[in-house]
Amino acid sequence: MNILQAIILGIVQGLTEFLPVSSSGHLTIFQHIMGVNMEGNLFFNVMLHVGTLVSVCVVYRKLILRLIKAFGKLVKDIFTGNFRWSKMNGDTNLLVMLVIGLVPLFMLFVPIPGAGGINGKDIAELWQGNTGYFIITGFALLATSVMLWVGVKAMENTEKKYAARASGDAPGRRRLKTVDAVCIGLGQCLAAIFPGLSRSGTTLAMGELRGLNKQVALDYAFVLGIPSILAAALLEGIDAIQAQGTQDTLQVGTGAMIAGMIAAMVVGFFAIMLFKWMLEKDRTNIFVIYTAVVGIAVIIVSIIELKSGNNLFSGAPLTFA
C-alpha cells in the first residue's frame, strides 16, 4: 500500500467513523475497489483507530474531563455510603449509563448457542478479507438507511409531542435511563458485527426512538464510541503483535501509516462538527438517501460479481472463508 492509498483510507475512516454511513462499510467498499486486502495490515488498522480516537477526544475534551471528575466523586460516594441512584447529577448519570451501554459489547465474545463455539467477533472477522461476502455490506447499508429514517420519524413525533420549541432548544429527554443505555448498547453491538451498519447512526436512531434529545443522543453515541474505538484498537494491536514475524505483517510502510492516521484524525474532527451541525439543522435525511443509494449499488455490484466469480474492479477471484 502506498501513501496515497493510505491517505484515502484514512480520509474514509475519519469521515465515516462519525457520520452515520458506516466506517467499516466504506472501508470495505474502498478496499474492494482498490483491490487492497486489510486483513494482514493490522497495525495500519490500529493507527486509523488511533487517529479517530484523538479527534473525538479533542472535540469532547471538556465533557471527558467532567466525566473523569464524576468518576472520582462516584468512587468516593460508593466507599463512603453516600451514593444514591436517584440523586445522581447529570455527569454521574451519563458516566453510569456509559458503563451500562458498554455491557452489551461483551456479548460479542459470548459463544452463540448451537453455533459450534462461534461468537459475534468471529462473525465480524468472517467478512474481513473475503470479497465473496461483499453483498452483506450492501444489505447492512440499507439497514442503516432504514434505522436513520425510523430515527428521524421518531424525532418528528417527539417534536410534535413537545409542541413548539419555545426555548429554541430541540425537545426530548436529556437524562438517560437504564433502558436507553441497554438499547443503544445493543445497537452498537450489532454495528460491530456487520460492516455497513453504522455505529453512530444506529445508536443515534436508538436514542431518538427512546425519546432522547437528539443532541444528547448524539453526544452519548460519540462518547460511548471512545472506549469502543479504544477496545477495537487494542484487540487489533494484540492480533498484530501475535502475527508479528509472519509475511502478512507490516505490509504498510511507516510513512503510509502516519499519513493515514493524520488523515483520519483531521477529517474525523471536522466530520464530528459537521454531523452535530447537520443534526441541529435537521438535515440528516441526506444520510438516509445516501446509505440507501450506496447500499443498492453495492448489492447490484455483488450480484454481478457472484455470477462471474470475480471482483468487478480488480478481476481477482472472489474469496470465501
Side-chain angles (χ1 to χ4, degrees):
M1 182 186 300
N2 57 43
I3 291 180
L4 178 59
Q5 289 176 321
I7 291 175
I8 291 174
L9 291 176
I11 292 173
V12 172
Q13 171 73 20
L15 190 63
T16 59
E17 179 69 45
F18 302 111
L19 295 182
V21 295
S22 176
S23 61
S24 60
H26 278 72
L27 283 174
T28 299
I29 292 170
F30 276 82
Q31 291 165 24
H32 196 83
I33 293 173
M34 294 189 298
V36 177
N37 184 355
M38 293 297 295
E39 188 176 14
N41 298 322
L42 296 174
F43 278 114
F44 182 65
N45 285 337
V46 174
M47 295 300 281
L48 291 185
H49 279 110
V50 169
T52 52
L53 183 64
V54 171
S55 62
V56 72
C57 286
V58 169
V59 173
Y60 286 99
R61 60 190 182 279
K62 293 182 180 178
L63 177 56
I64 292 171
L65 288 174
R66 287 188 358 233
L67 291 176
I68 293 173
K69 292 179 181 178
F71 176 74
K73 184 178 183 302
L74 176 62
V75 172
K76 179 182 177 182
D77 288 344
I78 290 175
F79 279 96
T80 58
N82 293 323
F83 175 74
R84 298 292 183 274
W85 183 275
S86 60
K87 295 184 179 180
M88 288 189 294
N89 61 28
D91 288 343
T92 304
N93 169 260
L94 178 58
L95 178 65
V96 172
M97 293 305 132
L98 285 172
V99 174
I100 295 174
L102 288 171
V103 171
L105 284 178
F106 289 99
M107 294 173 60
L108 292 174
F109 302 92
V110 178
I112 300 172
I118 296 176
N119 58 35
K121 185 174 180 292
D122 294 330
I123 295 176
E125 291 176 348
L126 179 64
W127 322 127
Q128 299 177 12
N130 295 288
T131 51
Y133 296 110
F134 190 45
I135 195 169
I136 298 296
T137 300
F139 283 113
L141 282 166
L142 283 181
T144 293
S145 177
V146 172
M147 285 294 298
L148 290 172
W149 180 81
V150 170
V152 169
K153 292 302 177 183
M155 183 49 59
E156 289 177 356
N157 290 335
T158 300
E159 290 177 348
K160 291 177 181 178
K161 178 181 177 181
Y162 283 81
R165 302 179 185 178
S167 63
D169 295 328
R173 283 189 293 109
R174 295 179 177 274
R175 190 178 181 89
L176 285 96
K177 299 178 181 178
T178 302
V179 178
D180 301 331
V182 171
C183 289
I184 292 173
L186 289 173
Q188 184 172 236
C189 186
L190 288 174
I193 296 176
F194 298 100
L197 192 59
S198 169
R199 184 191 60 79
S200 61
T202 301
T203 51
L204 173 64
M206 285 290 188
E208 290 175 330
L209 280 169
R210 289 290 305 159
L212 288 173
N213 172 275
K214 58 186 178 182
Q215 286 293 342
V216 170
L218 185 64
D219 290 346
Y220 180 80
F222 281 156
V223 178
L224 185 66
I226 294 175
S228 302
I229 296 171
L230 181 60
L234 288 174
L235 288 173
E236 288 178 346
I238 292 172
D239 289 341
I241 292 172
Q242 292 175 343
Q244 200 164 17
T246 67
Q247 61 180 11
D248 288 332
T249 305
L250 293 177
Q251 292 179 5
V252 183
T254 303
M257 279 191 183
I258 295 175
M261 182 192 72
I262 293 175
M265 178 177 62
V266 174
V267 175
F269 173 85
F270 288 106
I272 295 173
M273 303 306 293
L274 174 64
F275 192 15
K276 288 174 70 68
W277 176 80
M278 293 185 74
L279 189 66
E280 181 183 354
K281 300 298 181 181
D282 294 326
R283 297 181 181 178
T284 53
N285 272 324
I286 187 173
F287 298 119
V288 176
I289 299 171
Y290 173 80
T291 49
V293 170
V294 175
I296 292 171
V298 169
I299 291 173
I300 293 173
V301 169
S302 298
I303 292 173
I304 295 173
E305 290 182 342
L306 288 170
K307 287 184 177 180
S308 68
N310 297 306
N311 184 310
L312 186 63
F313 305 94
S314 67
L318 299 181
T319 57
F320 297 86

